[in-house]
Amino acid sequence: MYSLKDVLKRFIPFYKDYIPTFILVVIGMVLASSGTAASAYLVKPLLDEIFINKDREMLSLLPYAIIVVYAAKEGGKYLQACSTAYIGQHIIKRLRENILENLLSLDLSFFHTYRTGELISRNTSDVERIRAVVSSLIPEFLRETFTIFGLMGVVIYQSPKLAFFALIIMPLAIYPLSRLAKRMKKISKASQEKISDITAKLSEIFNNIEIIQANNAQNYEHSLFKNDNERYFKLTMKSVRVNELVSPLMETIGAIGVAVVVIVGGNEVIDGSLSVGSFFSFLTALFMLYTPIKKISSLYNKMQDALVASERIFFLLDQTSTIQSGNEKMPEKITTISFDDVSLFYGEKQALHEVKLEAKAGEMIALIGDSGGGKSSLMNMLMRFYDPSSGTIYINGHNLKEISLKELRENVAMVTQRVYIFHDSIAANVAYGKEIDETKVIDALEKANAYDFVQTLPEGIWTHLDEFGTNLSGGQRQRIAIARAIYTNPQVLILDEATSALDSQSEQKITQAIENLIKDKITFVIAHRLSTIKKANKIILLKHGKICAMGSDEELLQNSKEYLNLKGLQH
Ligand SMILES: Nc1ncnc2c1ncn2[C@@H]1O[C@H](COP(=O)(O)OP(=O)(O)OP(=O)(O)O)[C@@H](O)[C@H]1O
C-alpha cells in the first residue's frame, strides 16, 4: 500500500514544471490564512476601542480595515483555488496520456488479463480521485494548517491561560478521527473496485448488445448490473456516513472546549483581568479554529480515497511489456521465415509443440486443422503478440526478437478473423495510422475488390464508418480490412479466415486479387476453404499444437490420412 509520501514522491517530477504557478498558490495561501487570523483579531479593537472606549477615530478606520482584510482573504482564496486547479488538472491530463501511452505499449497477454472496462475506469474515475491529492488536497491542507497557526497565534496572544484550556481539548478529537480515516480507506478501496466492475459490465454489454438481444438476455444483464449498482450505492452511502460524522464529532468536542472557555473566561472578564474585546476576539478565533481543523480531518479522509486510487493507477504505469523491440533493422527483402522447434504456453496450457517449418519468398503457406489446433497462435508469434516459450523464429536467419518491432509490423500485415473498423472515414480506416494517400487508398480498395461498393457510397472513400462498421455488411467490412493490410504493400501477409464472410463471387475476386498480390511475398493463409488450400505451395496441418502433416495438396492426398479425413468432411 502506498503512503502519502510515496504518492507525492512519484509526483515530484510533475510538480517541477509548475514552480511559477506554485508561487501564486503560496501568495494566495498566505493572503487567505493571514486574512482569516486578522479578521479574528479585529474583533478586539471593534469591541474595546469602539464600543467600550467610544473611540470615533477608530470607528472611521476599522470599517476600511475590515473590507481590506476580507478582500485580501477572499482574493487569496480565489488565487489559490485557480492556481491549484490549473496544476491539478494539468497533471491529471498528463497522467491520463502517460497511462494510455504505457498501456498501448503492453503486450496482448496483459489485455487478456484485464477487462477493458476496468482499464477505462482506472484511466477515468481513479485518475479523477487522484486529482484531489495532487491539486487541491495538499495546498488546502497547507492553507488550513497556516490558518490554524495564525488563529492559534491570536488565541494565545489574547489569553494564554484560556488558550491552554481550549486547546487541551483538541487531542481528544484525534483518536476518533484517526479511526474514521482507517475506515474510510477500506470503504474507498471497495468502492473503487465496484465502480470498475460497473464500467467493465457496461462496456461488455454495449460490445455484445446483439447477442444479448438475440438471447433475450436483457433482464439477465440488467439484474447483474443492478446488483453491482446496488452494492456501489451502499458503499457510497457508507462513505458519506463516515465522512459526515467528522463534522458533528468535531462540533460536539468543540462545544466542550467553548463551554470551558466561557466558564474560565467569563470569570476573568467579571473580575476585570480580561477585557471584553480580548475575550470576544479570543472566542471568535476559537470558533474560527474549528473550521480549518474540521476541514483538515475531512481532507484526511479524502486522502485515503486518493491513496487507494493512486495504487491502482501506479500499477498501470508500472506495467512493462514482456515483448521488447530488438535493435536490428528489418532485412530489406525478406527471403525466408523459419520456425525452429517453436513451442508456446499460455500460462499452464501448451498451445504449440516444437513446430518446425520454413517459408520462402513467393510462397503461400496454408495452415489448416481443427479449431484450437494452434493456427492463430503460430501467426501471433510471427507478429510478436506473443514470444515463443522455447525455440526461435528467424527472418533471413536473424532472430525475430532482435529485429525492430516497429519495422517488423510495418512489413508483416495481418487480416484477422475479427474485423476491426474504427469510427472514421473509409480512407482513414484503410490508411490506418499512416498518412492518407488518396491514390494508394483507392488502389488498395481496388485490389481488395472493395472499390466498387465504396464508390456507390455518398461520400466515396470519405464516407464515415460507424464504430465497428455497423453501416457495412460483414463481407464489406472484411474487404476494408484486406485493403488496410495491403495499403502499405507489406512483404508478409497473414490472412486468418479472411474470406470467411464473403459470398462465393467476391471470394473468388479476392482470391484472384490475393494471387496477384502475393507473387513475391510470403503469405500465410489460415483457411478451411479448399480453393485457397489448393493454390498453396505448402499445406500445414496442425492438430493439438503439433504439425501432423506438411506438403503440397497432392503429397498430402497421398500420404496423410488426417488430410483425407479433413477433405472428406468438407465434401
Ligand atoms: N490468449 C490465450 N490465452 C490462453 N489460451 C489461449 C489463448 N489463445 C488461444 N489459446 C488456446 O490455445 C489453443 C490454440 O488456439 P488457436 O487460437 O491458436 O487455435 P486455432 O487453430 O487458430 O483455432 P481456430 O481455428 O478456432 O481459430 C486453444 O486451445 C486455445 O484455447
Side-chain angles (χ1 to χ4, degrees):
M1 178 64 88
Y2 282 90
S3 68
L4 180 63
K5 204 170 124 201
D6 298 328
V7 173
L8 291 180
K9 239 194 218 160
R10 297 227 21 181
F11 281 107
I12 285 175
F14 286 99
Y15 282 132
K16 281 190 184 139
D17 302 333
Y18 303 98
I19 291 172
T21 325
F22 264 119
I23 295 173
L24 292 181
V25 173
V26 172
I27 295 174
M29 218 156 64
V30 170
L31 279 175
S33 325
S34 45
T36 310
S39 62
Y41 179 79
L42 286 181
V43 173
K44 179 180 158 63
L46 178 74
L47 286 178
D48 285 350
E49 305 302 325
I50 300 177
F51 291 109
I52 295 176
N53 288 345
K54 319 247 183 301
D55 181 345
R56 280 195 183 276
E57 200 186 333
M58 189 53 106
L59 182 61
S60 64
L61 286 177
L62 205 60
Y64 300 111
I66 290 174
I67 294 172
V68 170
V69 163
Y70 272 82
K73 185 174 91 164
E74 297 307 315
K77 273 190 193 165
Y78 180 76
L79 183 65
Q80 190 212 328
C82 289
S83 321
T84 44
Y86 175 81
I87 298 172
Q89 297 287 2
H90 205 261
I91 289 182
I92 289 309
K93 170 176 117 47
R94 288 166 62 189
L95 197 62
R96 279 205 185 101
E97 288 162 7
N98 289 359
I99 294 176
L100 183 67
E101 189 184 17
N102 196 45
L103 286 181
L104 285 172
S105 75
L106 295 181
D107 49 282
L108 284 191
S109 53
F110 174 85
F111 292 95
H112 289 152
T113 317
Y114 292 91
R115 291 182 295 172
T116 329
E118 157 105 37
L119 298 177
I120 294 174
S121 166
R122 288 190 188 208
N123 206 358
T124 51
S125 75
D126 286 342
V127 168
E128 194 49 40
R129 285 176 199 240
I130 230 185
R131 186 177 60 80
V133 163
V134 289
S135 65
S136 46
L137 273 189
I138 306 301
E140 268 184 38
F141 203 82
L142 290 178
R143 185 184 71 198
E144 300 306 338
T145 314
F146 278 138
T147 310
I148 289 176
F149 279 119
L151 289 171
M152 279 229 241
V154 177
V155 164
I156 294 168
Y157 174 77
Q158 300 295 16
S159 169
K161 189 175 160 198
L162 280 185
F164 172 77
F165 283 108
L167 301 179
I168 211 164
I169 304 289
M170 241 188 249
L172 276 184
I174 305 234
Y175 176 71
L177 285 178
S178 72
R179 288 287 303 263
L180 286 185
K182 264 203 194 117
R183 198 159 159 62
M184 196 59 205
K185 202 168 186 170
K186 251 186 162 162
I187 301 171
S188 292
K189 189 159 192 246
S191 131
Q192 287 172 29
E193 277 164 8
K194 205 67 288 161
I195 193 75
S196 273
D197 284 348
I198 288 183
T199 328
K201 188 81 223 153
L202 285 176
S203 101
E204 194 177 81
I205 288 176
F206 301 139
N207 280 329
N208 297 324
I209 189 71
E210 280 163 89
I211 205 78
I212 292 172
Q213 295 192 344
N215 285 289
N216 286 328
Q218 292 94 324
N219 288 344
Y220 172 69
E221 287 296 343
H222 189 239
S223 68
L224 284 181
F225 179 78
K226 255 169 78 180
N227 285 345
D228 277 342
N229 207 23
E230 174 72 21
R231 179 99 189 91
Y232 180 63
F233 165 74
K234 284 193 172 140
L235 282 168
T236 313
M237 281 318 296
K238 218 184 219 177
S239 87
V240 167
R241 282 196 295 272
V242 172
N243 235 342
E244 291 303 317
L245 203 58
V246 172
S247 175
L249 205 73
M250 292 294 298
E251 297 274 344
T252 315
I253 294 171
I256 302 175
V258 173
V260 174
V261 165
V262 169
I263 297 168
V264 180
N267 274 324
E268 286 203 344
V269 173
I270 292 171
D271 292 347
S273 55
L274 189 69
S275 79
V276 175
S278 293
F279 179 73
F280 274 97
S281 167
F282 176 92
L283 211 56
T284 311
L286 192 65
F287 274 125
M288 284 174 116
L289 251 180
Y290 283 115
T291 313
I293 292 177
K294 230 165 46 190
K295 255 201 188 144
I296 283 192
S297 26
S298 141
L299 286 177
Y300 189 63
N301 274 350
K302 275 195 203 150
M303 226 182 259
Q304 308 306 316
D305 192 43
L307 287 181
V308 181
S310 320
E311 197 167 88
R312 292 162 55 85
I313 285 171
F314 293 154
F315 172 80
L316 293 188
L317 282 173
D318 294 341
Q319 292 296 316
T320 49
S321 178
T322 49
I323 310 279
Q324 294 293 335
S325 174
N327 297 322
E328 284 183 26
K329 282 189 85 60
M330 186 79 182
E332 201 124 301
K333 176 90 188 75
I334 300 177
T335 51
T336 54
I337 294 178
S338 48
F339 290 75
D340 191 14
D341 286 337
V342 170
S343 298
L344 177 70
F345 281 88
Y346 292 113
E348 299 278 292
K349 187 180 161 51
Q350 184 158 12
L352 289 168
H353 299 257
E354 290 161 7
V355 171
K356 211 174 172 64
L357 70 93
E358 191 173 82
K360 292 202 170 68
E363 279 187 345
M364 182 201 257
I365 315 284
L367 299 168
I368 60 168
D370 294 337
S371 177
K375 305 177 291 293
S376 306
S377 301
L378 198 65
M379 292 300 101
N380 283 344
M381 285 193 297
L382 187 54
M383 288 303 283
R384 286 202 73 204
F385 291 149
Y386 295 91
D387 275 339
S389 309
S390 65
T392 315
I393 302 171
Y394 295 100
I395 288 191
N396 294 6
H398 299 265
N399 187 340
L400 193 66
K401 285 190 191 174
E402 307 297 331
I403 294 171
S404 145
L405 197 57
K406 186 167 177 282
E407 289 183 22
L408 169 76
R409 291 180 181 165
E410 275 167 3
N411 283 283
V412 182
M414 192 176 206
V415 182
T416 51
Q417 282 176 350
R418 206 179 124 194
V419 177
Y420 298 90
I421 297 286
F422 296 89
H423 185 68
D424 210 333
S425 66
I426 291 183
N429 264 282
V430 171
Y432 182 61
K434 289 151 206 110
E435 214 172 300
I436 301 176
D437 177 330
E438 224 171 293
T439 340
K440 268 171 73 185
V441 169
I442 293 174
D443 186 48
L445 286 167
E446 273 172 349
K447 284 179 178 154
N449 194 23
Y451 195 52
D452 285 352
F453 84 82
V454 170
Q455 265 181 318
T456 64
L457 297 173
E459 286 165 83
I461 63 165
W462 301 108
T463 307
H464 255 254
L465 298 181
D466 293 345
E467 199 182 3
F468 310 124
T470 39
N471 48 352
L472 295 181
S473 77
Q476 290 171 335
R477 281 201 286 265
Q478 210 156 31
R479 280 180 273 169
I480 299 280
I482 293 173
R484 180 187 299 142
I486 55 188
Y487 180 73
T488 48
N489 195 21
Q491 300 201 57
V492 181
L493 259 180
I494 302 170
L495 307 169
D496 189 348
E497 302 281 14
T499 52
S500 63
L502 301 178
D503 56 70
S504 53
Q505 202 186 0
S506 35
E507 190 206 336
Q508 217 175 7
K509 281 187 185 163
I510 288 253
T511 317
Q512 181 66 44
I514 287 173
E515 273 167 29
N516 298 335
L517 274 175
I518 62 175
K519 276 190 189 111
D520 52 347
K521 296 185 202 309
I522 299 180
T523 313
F524 292 92
V525 186
I526 299 180
H528 292 287
R529 298 195 182 235
L530 298 180
S531 53
T532 332
I533 298 173
K534 260 201 172 135
K535 306 238 164 56
N537 304 79
K538 216 182 270 172
I539 299 164
I540 291 162
L541 206 162
L542 275 167
K543 198 170 177 184
H544 305 308
K546 288 183 185 145
I547 295 186
C548 75
M550 175 156 46
S552 65
D553 181 53
E554 251 172 54
E555 286 164 355
L556 293 187
L557 281 174
Q558 277 173 14
N559 56 29
S560 169
K561 235 163 68 191
E562 257 105 1
Y563 187 63
L564 282 177
N565 274 346
L566 209 71
K567 282 199 113 172
L569 284 176
Q570 292 196 347
H571 280 305

